[in-house]
Amino acid sequence: MFNIVIADDYDLVSREAFKIMRNTVAKENPVLGLATGSSPIGLYKKMIADHNSNGTSYKNVITFNLDEYIGIERNHEQSYYTFMHENLFDSIDIPETSIHIPHGDCGDMEAECARYEEELKKVVIDLQVLGIGTDGHIGFNEPGTPFDSLTHITPLEEQTRKDNARFFEDDISRVPTHAITMGLASIMRAKKIIVIATGANKANAVYGMVKGPKTPDCPASILQDHDDVTVILDHEAASRIA
Ligand code: GLP
C-alpha cells in the first residue's frame, strides 16, 4: 500500500521525509536502513540541522546501509562508506560501532554477503530510506533480481553506471562494475519504508513501482506488496502517476 506525497520542490520533499524520520528517531532504540545517492541528501541535512539545533541524539540509533561498490577501498572518495560519513555520520553523535555498511573491498565477497545478512537478521529495521534508480532499482537490485533475494553480489547495469559516472569524473570506465546489496527480501522486512524521488528522469521508474505490473523487470514494484510505504515525490517525478 502506497501513501503518495507530492511536494513542490526538493526542500519540501526532504522536509516530508524528515517528518517521518523524526518520529522514528524519537523511538527507544531505533534501527534505520539508510541509502546513498543524491535523493536522501536533503533528508540527511535536515537530520544534521535538527541534531545541531535541537540536540536530537543518535547515541541509541543503529544503522544498516543498503549497498556498497565492489572493488574500491572503504576510504575511496566515492565509496558509500565515505558518502555516509561525509553526508551524515560525521555530523551526528552516532557511535561508529552502531553503523553497518557492507564491505566491498574484502577478499571473500560471498562470505561478506552471508555475514551482512546474518547481522540484518538480528534486527528489524524500523524505517528504511530508499531512492530509486532510473531503471527501477532499489539498493543495487537491478532489473531481473528475484523478489526473494537476500544480500548478494550484483553486476551493475550499463544505465546505472552511466547514471553514476557523474561521481567518477564523468568517466564510466571508473565506475565499478559490481556491487554488494541488501536483497529485495531483506528490504521488505522493514516495518516502514520511504522512497524519495525527484526529477523527470525518475517518472518512468516511479510509474513502474506504483502502477506497473509487479515484476522483477522493475525491482521497486515489489514494494506494492509492503503495507507501509510512503513515496515522496516532486511534480516531475510524479508526472506519470498523478
Ligand atoms: C544508486 C544507489 C541507490 C539509489 C539510486 C538513485 O545507484 N545504489 O540506492 O537510490 O542509485 O540515486 P540518486 O538518488 O542519486 O538518483
Side-chain angles (χ1 to χ4, degrees):
M1 254 274 288
F2 292 108
N3 172 29
I4 311 274
V5 177
I6 301 173
D8 280 343
D9 61 28
Y10 181 59
D11 186 57
L12 293 171
V13 165
S14 303
R15 194 179 298 181
E16 291 296 330
F18 175 66
K19 277 191 214 161
I20 298 172
M21 176 59 74
R22 191 177 46 196
N23 286 340
T24 304
V25 170
K27 292 184 175 161
E28 213 163 311
N29 291 299
V31 183
L32 303 179
L34 297 178
T36 52
S38 33
S39 304
I41 287 180
L43 164 65
Y44 297 158
K45 285 203 172 116
K46 291 194 186 300
M47 290 163 72
I48 294 167
D50 170 60
H51 168 70
N52 288 337
S53 28
N54 304 322
T56 301
S57 175
Y58 290 77
K59 282 203 170 115
N60 296 323
V61 173
I62 291 175
T63 65
F64 280 84
N65 263 81
L66 284 167
D67 48 13
E68 179 59 283
Y69 289 119
I70 292 179
I72 58 176
E73 287 178 3
R74 269 215 138 179
N75 58 7
H76 185 283
E77 58 176 11
Q78 291 304 334
S79 76
Y80 285 167
Y81 178 90
T82 300
F83 176 99
M84 287 308 302
H85 283 78
E86 283 179 352
N87 287 291
L88 182 64
F89 297 146
D90 288 350
S91 305
I92 55 176
D93 60 346
I94 185 164
E96 186 66 30
T97 48
S98 302
I99 295 168
H100 302 80
I101 303 176
H103 287 254
D105 60 353
C106 38
D108 188 346
M109 287 305 305
E110 289 296 344
E112 174 61 4
C113 291
R115 184 197 68 83
Y116 202 67
E117 192 61 36
E118 277 312 303
E119 290 296 312
L120 278 167
K121 282 198 179 122
K122 292 179 193 160
V123 299
V124 178
I125 289 178
D126 292 296
L127 177 63
Q128 175 67 57
V129 177
L130 294 176
I132 183 169
T134 55
D135 63 2
H137 73 234
I138 50 177
F140 266 136
N141 291 282
E142 295 282 27
T145 307
F147 281 173
D148 61 358
S149 55
L150 301 175
T151 303
H152 63 283
I153 297 166
T154 178
L156 297 180
E157 291 290 334
E158 178 85 1
Q159 185 59 52
T160 299
R161 295 181 65 233
K162 272 189 197 150
D163 288 346
N164 289 1
R166 65 190 194 277
F167 301 115
F168 292 85
E169 295 162 32
D170 279 321
D171 179 357
I172 190 169
S173 73
R174 288 174 189 253
V175 183
T177 57
H178 289 73
I180 174 171
T181 183
M182 271 165 67
L184 293 169
S186 335
I187 292 171
M188 288 292 279
R189 289 199 299 260
K191 276 191 210 158
K192 191 183 221 7
I193 296 177
I194 52 176
V195 184
I196 303 169
T198 56
N201 63 331
K202 297 292 174 71
N204 284 337
V206 168
Y207 176 86
M209 169 175 65
V210 176
K211 304 254 188 196
K214 210 167 37 179
T215 162
D217 294 343
C218 177
S221 65
I222 193 179
L223 299 175
Q224 293 173 20
D225 277 348
H226 196 284
D227 61 9
D228 191 353
V229 183
T230 301
V231 183
I232 309 172
L233 306 167
D234 65 2
H235 293 283
E236 287 76 18
S239 60
R240 286 203 62 203
I241 60 163

